Amino acid sequence: MPEAQRSHRRIWQSTNVPHPCYIGRSATVNSGVHRSWYLAQLDRHHLPYGLRVFEEPNHRTYKAAVFGMRSGAMQPSSSLRSTAVADLGGSVAHTALTAPDRLWSAQEVLLRTSPVPAAAGVYGWHFEQAPSADLDAGRLLYVGIAPRYMANRTSTQNLRKRVRYHYRGNAAGSTLRLTLGCLLGIELRRVGSGTRMTFGKTGEAALSQWMAENARVCWIEHDEPWTLESELISQLDLPLNLDQNRHNPFHSRLKSLRSQARERARELAVSA
C-alpha cells in the first residue's frame, strides 16, 4: 500500500470512521464503485464546520469523511446525500464545535450571502469576552440545534434562520439572548400585551452590539440534530445551556438569575 494511502487510512481510523477506506483520485471505496473526485489535505486537526458523511444509495453503503475541502478539490456527485455526522462518533462532533476550523462573526453571518447553510444542524457559540467574570473567554459556552424535534409537524427552522435570529432577534425568541442579557445586567421588560419579555428596543440593540463584538459561531450540518444535543450537553462543559444541563456548576446560578429578571419585569409597567 502506498504511504499516502496508509497515512489516510490512519486518519480514518483515528477519527472512528465506521468503515475506514482510502478515497483519492479514482480510488475504489468499500462498495466497489470508483469515484473520480479528490479530497485534498485530509487533516484531522482542521475539522471543518461542514463535516459530513456521504452514502451512495444505489450501491452497498460506504462511508467517507470530508475533512478538508481545499482548492482544487472536487465535490462528490450530486447523487450522494448527507447523513448524520454522528456516524463518525461523538468525539468528532465535539471537536468540530469546540475546536472548529474557524469561527464566524455577526458581520459575516448577517451578510445577504450568509455563509450559514439553510440546513439542519448544531451550532456552537464562542465568546471573545465572556458575559460573566465567572466564565472563561475564548471557548465554547453554548450549543443549540435547528430545527427542534417535532412529532406532529415539520419545522421550518434551519441553521441560517436560527443563528441569524440569535444575532439580531430579541430575548422572547432566543434563550441565548435572554441568558446573555441577564448576565450582562440589561433590564428585562414586559412588552406588547404584557405577556412577552424582552430587553426593550434600547436593551436589545445594546445586546446585539455586544454580541457583534464578542460572540462568534460555528456549526455542523446534521439531518437530525436533536439526536446529538443530549450527548453534547452531557459530555461538554456548556455553562450557558440550561435544558438537560443540571449537572453543570453554573446551572443553578443562571437559572436563578433569569428567574429574578422575570420577577422584576412582572413588577414593572409594560414597556412601550
Side-chain angles (χ1 to χ4, degrees), residues 123 194 196 243 258:
Y123 52 87
R196 294 171 61 249
D243 189 33
R258 293 189 2 160

Side-chain angles (χ1 to χ4, degrees), residues 53-64 79-83 87:
V53 176
F54 294 99
E55 182 177 323
E56 171 56 71
N58 298 323
H59 301 275
R60 184 163 62 87
T61 298
Y62 72 85
K63 301 176 187 293
S79 66
L80 301 180
R81 63 183 178 85
S82 175
T83 59
D87 288 345

Side-chain angles (χ1 to χ4, degrees), residues 123-184:
Y123 52 87
W125 289 90
H126 297 239
F127 296 87
E128 294 187 0
Q129 176 184 323
S132 168
D134 295 325
L135 300 176
D136 295 328
R139 74 170 186 89
L140 179 69
L141 296 180
Y142 179 89
V143 297
I145 63 172
R148 303 204 69 81
Y149 175 74
M150 293 187 175
N152 300 320
R153 63 187 178 90
T154 302
S155 173
T156 60
Q157 283 292 329
N158 57 48
L159 285 169
R160 182 181 300 166
K161 289 180 180 179
R162 198 67 193 138
V163 170
R164 286 165 69 98
Y165 189 88
H166 282 313
Y167 265 130
R168 65 180 181 184
N170 61 59
S174 166
T175 188
L176 174 62
R177 289 183 68 92
L178 176 60
T179 287
L180 292 174
C182 289
L183 287 172
L184 293 170

Side-chain angles (χ1 to χ4, degrees), residues 3 10-11 23 31 44 53 59 74 78 119 123 140 160-161 184-185 201 212 224 253 266:
E3 174 56 33
R10 283 195 296 270
I11 292 176
I23 295 183
S31 63
R44 66 187 176 91
V53 176
H59 301 275
M74 299 175 64
S78 59
Y123 52 87
L140 179 69
R160 182 181 300 166
K161 289 180 180 179
L184 293 170
K201 185 176 180 179
E224 298 180 345
R253 179 181 172 188
R266 293 187 186 101

Side-chain angles (χ1 to χ4, degrees), residues 88-106:
L88 291 176
S91 62
V92 176
H94 295 180
T95 305
L97 293 170
T98 59
D101 190 50
R102 68 162 295 178
L103 294 168
W104 301 82
S105 67

